[in-house]
Amino acid sequence: MRVLVIGAGTGGLCLAHGLKKAGVDVALFERDRTPRSMLIGYRVGISPDGSKALHSCLPPAVFAEFVRTTARPPKHIVMRTEKYKELLVGEVDTNLDDSRSEKSVSRIAMRTALLNGLDDVVRFGKTFTHYTQHDDGTVTAHFEDGTSETGDVLVGADGAQSKVRRQRLPHAKVVDTGITSIAGKLPLTDENAKLLPPLADGGITLLFGPHGEFVIVHVMRFDGTGVEDDYIMWGYAAAHDKFPDLNGMSPAELKQVVLNLTPRFHPDLRELFAKASPETVFPIRVRTSERLEPWEPSSVTMIGDSVHLMTPGRGIGANTALRDAELLCRKLAEADRSGNTVQAIGEYEREMVEYGFHAVEASREMMDGTSLIHKPVIGRVAAAFSRTFLRVTNAVPPLKRKMLAEDAAERDHVSSAHEVVHAR
């Protein structure tokens, strides 16, 4: 069997490693001209699902290098108001081994680590245009430079704007969620650390405003590994109608938009917004896939955002892509021995569609501009109710354990949820 993978993102690299490790011939094609092209070094949260997939697919030395490049893992999940007042605090179990633990990693560092050992597999500067399927069951990938490659299976790992998806599933919809986000990052200095909410240095912090807006704050400490300089990242999100037209705005203007929208937020949080390094500030209109009905399998399939794009609301997009990669790798390795390639892809797709679109829908619940909390007047009532619910949950240990266990179950489908997150 020869497998062609389009896209050297998180899922594509994991799949390529797994197939190579299983002895399957694999070639990976990436449109970027170099490993660091077009990458912004924001945090990727690796859940137990993601860790298990990477541990399964990567050679031991590459997995060890990946672990070395991670930042300090989060110890807390903290929810606060925009004025830094506590709503709910949970603790993440940091005693799990590397093959199952939560991890924080820079996107740049992760790609660099996962490229190790794939020099003979990855080809940069290859922009995919379309594919052709043949009567003998093979498939040919065509590229912008006029070249082509033929294999037995083609896997789209080419992200939200997937050209593979557009050809394979032209009816698949990617829709606007009604949410806009602006993100930025700044160096983690002693001075900047003083601006952080309590427990933010060592945790994941979510801050909720009175009009449905929210902020996520991550602190990335690499403990002198030389992987990357320590940094703070933040993301501000709200319904589209809260924002002016952002087209053509400079990074400085984007920062000012966030400051204009948050006059009553904690002054230290506003200072974090203001101090973001200009070259790191960018806007996103958050989009997501809609659930698909099952389709007939063929020699062309997809993983990750190319088939089930989701909002960052639950932080499980990259982890679902990794779960896809591990599952598809296992199915293709079995098919390499049995010869039942399309059957194996069908088995993968049936399972992937169920957990993948469940994750899409769970993530959209967290970032949906049409929800009540974003409406005028009633939105303030909904926000107040949500804050009261979180405070009550925080004060009643059984309720908090249940809530955190449900969240953990979304991120870890093998171990029992109480092993991953427990109440403070």
Side-chain angles (χ1 to χ4, degrees):
M1 182 191 295
R2 185 168 194 246
V3 180
L4 312 178
V5 182
I6 308 300
T10 302
L13 289 167
C14 181
L15 176 62
H17 269 297
L19 291 172
K20 183 179 179 181
K21 185 178 176 183
V24 177
D25 185 11
V26 57
L28 179 58
F29 303 92
E30 169 57 46
R31 66 181 180 180
D32 289 350
R33 295 195 174 277
T34 70
R36 296 178 72 90
S37 298
M38 303 298 292
L39 276 182
I40 298 175
Y42 288 101
R43 175 188 184 270
V44 179
I46 301 299
S47 72
D49 267 353
S51 288
K52 287 194 291 287
L54 287 165
H55 186 260
S56 172
C57 291
L58 270 54
V62 177
F63 184 75
E65 174 61 13
F66 160 71
V67 172
R68 188 191 72 81
T69 65
T70 60
R72 287 185 192 175
K75 297 179 180 178
H76 313 284
I77 297 174
V78 186
M79 300 180 189
R80 298 187 181 279
T81 71
E82 80 285 2
K83 297 183 184 295
Y84 285 6
K85 293 181 179 178
E86 184 177 304
L87 295 174
L88 186 143
V89 176
E91 294 182 1
V92 178
D93 190 344
T94 57
N95 294 318
L96 301 177
D97 64 53
D98 286 337
S99 67
R100 292 177 51 233
S101 61
E102 295 268 350
K103 299 176 182 66
S104 291
V105 64
S106 155
R107 192 173 295 275
I108 291 173
M110 185 170 187
R111 178 188 255 192
T112 301
L114 266 57
L115 281 168
N116 284 320
L118 292 180
D119 290 348
D120 58 336
V121 170
V122 183
R123 304 178 194 180
F124 286 97
K126 303 293 286 187
T127 300
F128 172 82
T129 58
H130 67 285
Y131 64 81
T132 305
Q133 290 177 287
H134 308 291
D135 292 342
D136 64 357
T138 60
V139 57
T140 298
H142 301 271
F143 302 96
E144 202 172 71
D145 61 7
T147 62
S148 64
E149 295 279 347
T150 298
D152 302 289
V153 176
L154 184 141
V155 181
D158 48 343
Q161 305 296 326
S162 173
K163 291 179 182 177
V164 177
R165 180 187 66 238
R166 290 175 191 170
Q167 185 174 350
R168 179 70 182 89
L169 301 173
H171 59 286
K173 292 182 179 179
V174 174
V175 298
D176 194 316
T177 63
I179 296 291
T180 292
S181 176
I182 296 176
K185 56 186 283 194
L186 61 153
L188 178 58
T189 63
D190 290 343
E191 180 183 357
N192 290 341
K194 293 175 183 177
L195 302 172
L196 291 165
L199 298 179
D201 191 352
I204 299 170
T205 303
L206 290 166
L207 303 106
F208 298 93
H211 303 288
E213 66 269 62
F214 64 94
V215 177
I216 188 164
V217 176
H218 294 296
V219 176
M220 298 288 282
R221 287 188 181 273
F222 294 95
D223 293 329
T225 60
V227 173
E228 193 167 339
D229 293 334
D230 297 344
Y231 65 84
I232 300 166
M233 67 154 289
W234 54 261
Y236 171 87
H240 290 334
D241 60 14
K242 305 291 194 304
F243 292 85
D245 183 358
L246 302 181
N247 287 328
M249 282 195 178
S250 68
E253 291 170 326
L254 292 170
K255 283 200 293 185
Q256 191 58 50
V257 166
V258 177
L259 291 169
N260 292 344
L261 292 172
T262 57
R264 298 185 180 179
F265 279 39
H266 196 289
D268 288 349
L269 182 58
R270 285 168 49 79
E271 187 69 12
L272 290 174
F273 296 152
K275 296 179 78 169
S277 305
E279 68 276 10
T280 70
V281 180
F282 69 98
I284 296 176
R285 287 177 71 95
V286 180
R287 295 166 63 79
T288 190
S289 297
E290 290 191 341
R291 182 177 283 272
L292 291 164
E293 293 299 318
W295 58 88
E296 285 297 314
S298 77
S299 57
V300 178
T301 190
M302 294 145 292
I303 64 173
D305 286 351
S306 63
V307 62
H308 46 56
L309 176 65
M310 61 193 73
T311 81
R314 283 188 174 270
I316 52 178
N319 295 292
T320 309
L322 291 169
R323 187 177 178 187
D324 293 348
E326 189 278 331
L327 175 61
L328 181 58
C329 176
R330 184 157 30 91
K331 294 295 183 181
L332 290 179
E334 292 169 0
D336 191 38
R337 296 187 292 270
S338 69
N340 297 322
T341 303
V342 173
Q343 178 182 324
I345 289 173
E347 292 171 358
Y348 156 73
E349 288 178 343
R350 281 192 294 275
E351 191 171 337
M352 174 272 292
V353 163
E354 285 307 308
Y355 68 71
F357 283 96
H358 172 78
V360 166
E361 288 152 5
S363 297
R364 183 163 187 176
E365 288 176 4
M366 300 284 290
M367 298 186 81
D368 187 347
T370 66
S371 62
L372 276 181
I373 204 164
H374 296 288
K375 304 295 183 185
V377 185
I378 190 65
R380 291 185 68 90
V381 176
F385 176 82
S386 177
R387 292 183 182 199
T388 299
F389 170 79
L390 289 172
R391 287 190 177 104
V392 170
T393 301
N394 197 41
V396 181
L399 288 178
K400 182 157 66 167
R401 282 194 294 271
K402 181 175 185 294
M403 177 181 175
L404 295 174
E406 289 173 352
D407 180 73
E410 290 284 350
R411 300 170 62 77
D412 185 3
H413 292 82
V414 176
S415 65
S416 56
H418 75 269
E419 291 181 293
V420 183
V421 180
H422 59 276
R424 185 180 70 174

